[in-house]
Amino acid sequence: MDRKAIGERLRELRGDRTLRQVASDVGISLAAICMYEAGERLPRPGVMVKLANYYNTTVEALFFA
């Protein structure tokens, strides 16, 4: 998994939504989503599922493509 590529993908999917909005909607901290998008950290498997569902995609497409 390329953390930087995943971060870019997450930023693209977020679109016009704020980081705070995504964090609140998904049920994760603002700091966590910031680190994911910056490529500093990868989400745990459960959070991967939540993000994939939120963005209406699959875990595989979001994190392993």
Side-chain angles (χ1 to χ4, degrees), residues 16-26 30 54:
D16 293 335
R17 293 173 272 219
T18 65
L19 285 166
R20 189 173 307 280
Q21 179 184 357
V22 173
S24 175
D25 291 348
V26 175
L30 179 60
Y54 182 74

Side-chain angles (χ1 to χ4, degrees), residues 5-6 9 13 52 56-65:
I6 291 168
R9 206 170 299 132
L13 288 169
N56 198 29
T57 188
T58 64
V59 170
E60 291 78 15
L62 187 52
F63 296 100
F64 299 101

Side-chain angles (χ1 to χ4, degrees), residues 1-11 13 22 26 28 32-33 35-65:
M1 279 186 273
D2 180 1
R3 292 183 301 185
K4 293 292 183 185
I6 291 168
E8 289 175 20
R9 206 170 299 132
L10 288 169
R11 281 192 301 279
L13 288 169
V22 173
V26 175
I28 59 177
I33 194 68
M35 285 188 273
Y36 303 153
E37 286 195 6
E40 296 173 8
R41 192 169 115 183
L42 290 173
R44 293 170 303 173
V47 176
M48 286 182 178
V49 171
K50 288 181 179 183
L51 286 166
N53 288 337
Y54 182 74
Y55 290 125
N56 198 29
T57 188
T58 64
V59 170
E60 291 78 15
L62 187 52
F63 296 100
F64 299 101

